[in-house]
Amino acid sequence: MSQQIPTGESDVAHDAKFPDAIEALRTRRSGHNFDPDAELDDETLESLIRDAALAPSSYNLQPWEFVVVQDDDRLDEVVDLAYGQEHVREAGTAILVVGHTEAKTADRVFDEWEEAGRMDEAAAEQTKAQSVEMYEDERMGRDYAIRNASLAAQNLLLSAHARGLKATPMIGFDQEGIAEFLGLPDDEIPVVLLSVGPSGGEEPERLPRRGVEEILHRESR
Ligand SMILES: Cc1cc2nc3c(=O)[nH]c(=O)nc-3n(C[C@H](O)[C@H](O)[C@H](O)COP(=O)(O)O)c2cc1C
């Protein structure tokens, strides 16, 4: 641990974990050096997906899917679809984070809101109808897919890093080609492709970040 991050609630026992989370997000990198001989085990893969699924989502609709490619021949195809990004093959695991463009989990999720006593039947029905209708708009549906799935992707990146793995997000790929190759239905779009695997070495130093004084705007832009 390089430094202690104040949490404001230092008497809560589990707060001791918070510095680990801060440390993870401060040291996460997009990696290109993977160990081509090491594999990602199934248990870790499932843990990564479980952590990704803890991301926040609009009405908890969880409008995402994770399509994993580990077969060598299929990885070669993914490398081609990712314009020759070789680190995808070296990582050994490619995960396409997919977003729903329609609120197709709404029946189940609004039942859960109601069963948990968080909405009464009328409110659940009304909110469900509103969200289904809102995401029927083409632009809203696409925004909905990208926003929610991007948050899940970031969870996955941080979880991979915290587990000592390397993970790189990519949008440098043929979107239509990968959707077809992986058999996405019409109401799902590729949001971000991740290469994930055991590290094969150090990454170059991180490029500079824009400073807080430049990007923080108080009250208005
Ligand atoms: C939306 C998005 C698209 C990206 N696309 C690619 C990509 O196609 N290939 C790649 O190697 N890295 C890609 N990256 C990784 C960025 O280059 C990287 O996040 C950035 O240089 C900052 O470095 P860091 O993640 O190590 O802090 C992408 C990152 C994001 C967020």
Side-chain angles (χ1 to χ4, degrees), residues 34-193:
F34 290 93
D35 180 351
D37 300 320
E39 285 183 4
L40 188 67
D41 62 84
D42 273 354
E43 201 181 6
T44 305
L45 174 65
E46 287 177 18
S47 298
L48 292 174
I49 303 304
R50 200 171 295 118
D51 291 345
L54 289 174
S57 61
S58 171
Y59 288 114
N60 197 38
L61 284 161
Q62 307 156 66
W64 45 55
E65 312 291 332
F66 303 86
V67 185
V68 177
V69 178
Q70 294 181 308
D71 174 82
D72 285 344
D73 293 338
R74 289 177 65 75
L75 273 177
D76 285 344
E77 301 236 25
V78 174
V79 170
D80 287 347
L81 288 163
Y83 310 126
Q85 299 199 58
E86 289 291 335
H87 60 95
V88 176
R89 185 185 295 108
E90 277 157 23
T93 299
I95 304 177
L96 184 70
V97 184
V98 170
H100 299 178
T101 57
E102 290 174 16
K104 59 183 176 174
T105 55
D107 281 341
R108 170 179 166 182
V109 169
F110 283 101
D111 279 353
E112 289 167 351
W113 278 98
E114 195 184 328
E115 277 158 23
R118 302 271 299 274
M119 284 187 196
D120 64 24
E121 190 182 348
E125 274 307 315
Q126 191 190 14
T127 318
K128 178 170 79 179
Q130 278 167 353
S131 59
V132 168
E133 192 189 332
M134 181 164 66
Y135 297 128
E136 271 167 6
D137 175 84
E138 195 177 328
R139 166 147 179 221
M140 285 293 284
R142 197 175 158 76
D143 286 355
Y144 163 71
I146 293 170
R147 287 170 171 161
N148 289 291
S150 294
L151 290 168
Q154 176 70 353
N155 259 29
L156 202 158
L157 293 176
L158 286 171
S159 175
H161 175 58
R163 293 168 191 281
L165 299 165
K166 198 163 277 187
T168 297
M170 286 166 279
I171 56 170
F173 60 87
D174 171 352
Q175 307 221 2
E176 280 179 22
I178 210 146
E180 193 183 333
F181 178 61
L182 297 178
L184 303 194
D186 288 346
D187 57 0
E188 294 180 4
I189 55 170
V191 173
V192 60
L193 180 65

Side-chain angles (χ1 to χ4, degrees), residues 201-215:
E202 294 283 302
E203 297 299 326
E205 203 174 319
R206 202 203 284 275
L207 292 172
R209 287 299 204 258
R210 295 168 64 205
V212 172
E213 67 291 350
E214 185 185 341
I215 58 177

